[in-house]
């Protein structure tokens, strides 16, 4: 998928990009490859693959949850790595307010430098662990309209690392592949315990035929204060 094909594929979903946005995606790609030469950000570096498997894939969240396209939602991206999915979404939908957290400070520095170069406003990248940034005394707890994460953990673990950030009435958008159904069955009880309710499931197909699933989890009641547990516990002992 080259940049023109990327724009054309989005246009079929009624998402139109202007010249500035297209230039921002290209700069994003160039900086990603440049920094990746000395810091492990991604195994995908070919332009066609980055536009398809990073940029377009990130934007499938906006197909699944159209409010991302129109509303000034405050989104948190947990364990964002090289900025996916939040920064491709922010470029396409500038009204979004984005907070990114990642446990590796080198990645946060890359993201802050990138945000500045791209001229993006209302983006904050923070060096933090999810278990600490969302605990019962943290200012960020239950402050976000949308939480998301990409390739972070299985859904029963992902829920504990993200739902504490979501305000009642907000959503967790879980990006999953072919194992979505198995993870849903395993995570159903954990999601309820954490104050969530499994909502719609949006199935998409990338232009190359790869399947994607976005699971919308509605935050219906506050997360109990004992969650998230201390760092490492959600992974070692999933709910």
């Amino acid at each position: 998928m080259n940049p023109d094909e990327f724009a054309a594929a989005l246009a079929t979903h009624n998402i139109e990009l202007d010249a500035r946005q297209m230039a921002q995606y290209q700069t994003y790609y160039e900086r990603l490859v440049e920094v990746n030469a000395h810091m492990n950000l991604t195994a995908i570096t070919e332009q066609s693959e980055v536009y398809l498997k990073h940029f377009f894939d990130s934007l499938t969240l906006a197909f699944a949850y159209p409010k991302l396209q129109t509303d000034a939602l405050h989104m948190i991206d947990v364990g964002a790595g090289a900025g996916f999915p939040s920064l491709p979404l922010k470029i396409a939908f500038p009204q979004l307010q984005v907070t990114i957290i990642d446990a590796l400070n080198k990645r946060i520095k890359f993201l802050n430098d990138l945000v500045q170069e791209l001229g993006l406003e209302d983006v904050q990248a923070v060096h933090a662990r999810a278990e600490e940034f969302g605990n019962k005394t943290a200012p960020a707890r239950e402050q976000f309209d949308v939480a998301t994460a990409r390739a972070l953990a299985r859904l029963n673990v992902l829920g504990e690392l993200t739902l504490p950030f979501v305000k009642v009435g907000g959503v967790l958008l879980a990006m999953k592949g072919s194992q979505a159904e198995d993870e849903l069955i395993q995570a159903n009880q954990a999601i309820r315990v954490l104050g969530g309710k499994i909502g719609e499931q949006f199935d998409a197909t990338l232009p190359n035929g790869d399947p994607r699933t976005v699971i919308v989890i509605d935050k219906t009641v506050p997360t109990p204060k004992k969650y998230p547990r201390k760092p490492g516990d959600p992974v070692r002992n999933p709910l």
Side-chain angles (χ1 to χ4, degrees):
M1 171 178 277
N2 63 36
D4 289 340
E5 291 168 337
F6 171 68
L10 290 176
T12 66
H13 293 274
N14 298 313
I15 297 171
E16 301 286 346
L17 301 176
D18 62 25
R20 181 174 185 268
Q21 290 167 311
M22 291 300 295
Q24 287 174 315
Y25 283 113
Q26 183 60 25
T27 298
Y28 194 163
Y29 165 69
E30 291 169 359
R31 293 297 167 267
L32 177 69
V33 172
E34 178 186 335
V35 175
N36 197 65
H38 55 83
M39 179 168 53
N40 183 25
L41 293 169
T42 177
I44 297 170
T45 56
E46 290 293 327
Q47 184 186 53
S48 61
E49 295 287 280
V50 170
Y51 271 80
L52 175 68
K53 296 182 179 179
H54 285 328
F55 296 164
F56 189 90
D57 183 54
S58 294
L59 290 169
T60 59
L61 286 184
F63 310 159
Y65 196 66
K67 286 183 179 181
L68 288 171
Q69 302 181 36
T70 57
D71 295 6
L73 302 177
H74 197 175
M75 164 184 275
I76 186 166
D77 188 357
V78 179
F84 311 121
S86 55
L87 290 188
L89 284 163
K90 173 66 177 177
I91 292 171
F93 312 112
Q95 85 286 347
L96 295 175
Q97 302 171 61
V98 173
T99 296
I100 298 169
I101 63 170
D102 196 274
L104 187 62
N105 200 35
K106 290 192 297 183
R107 286 197 288 258
I108 292 298
K109 183 181 186 307
F110 162 72
L111 292 171
N112 278 320
D113 290 345
L114 177 65
V115 164
Q116 185 174 7
E117 183 170 5
L118 296 178
L120 300 177
E121 298 179 352
D122 295 322
V123 179
Q124 178 186 30
V126 181
H127 177 222
R129 291 190 65 122
E131 298 97 326
E132 295 168 340
F133 201 62
N135 69 27
K136 63 183 179 181
T137 61
R141 186 178 179 88
E142 299 194 322
Q143 296 299 306
F144 296 88
D145 302 298
V146 177
T148 192
R150 183 171 180 251
L152 181 66
R154 291 182 64 83
L155 191 55
N156 56 341
V157 176
L158 177 66
E160 186 170 355
L161 297 177
T162 55
L163 276 171
F165 293 114
V166 181
K167 62 177 67 172
V168 173
V171 295
L172 163 62
L173 301 177
M175 304 180 74
K176 293 295 174 182
S178 59
Q179 302 301 313
E181 289 296 335
D182 291 341
E183 291 194 36
L184 271 172
I185 294 169
Q186 190 179 52
N188 196 39
Q189 175 63 21
I191 295 302
R192 286 201 301 269
V193 167
L194 293 162
K197 179 181 179 182
I198 295 171
E200 294 184 47
Q201 181 174 318
F202 179 86
D203 295 318
T205 302
L206 299 188
N208 69 339
D210 287 350
R212 293 290 187 270
T213 298
V214 178
I215 302 166
V216 180
I217 297 172
D218 300 299
K219 182 73 172 281
T220 57
V221 297
T223 300
K225 290 183 178 180
K226 64 181 178 178
Y227 302 111
R229 292 167 290 168
K230 65 183 181 180
D233 281 359
V235 175
R236 286 191 294 265
N237 299 297
L239 292 174

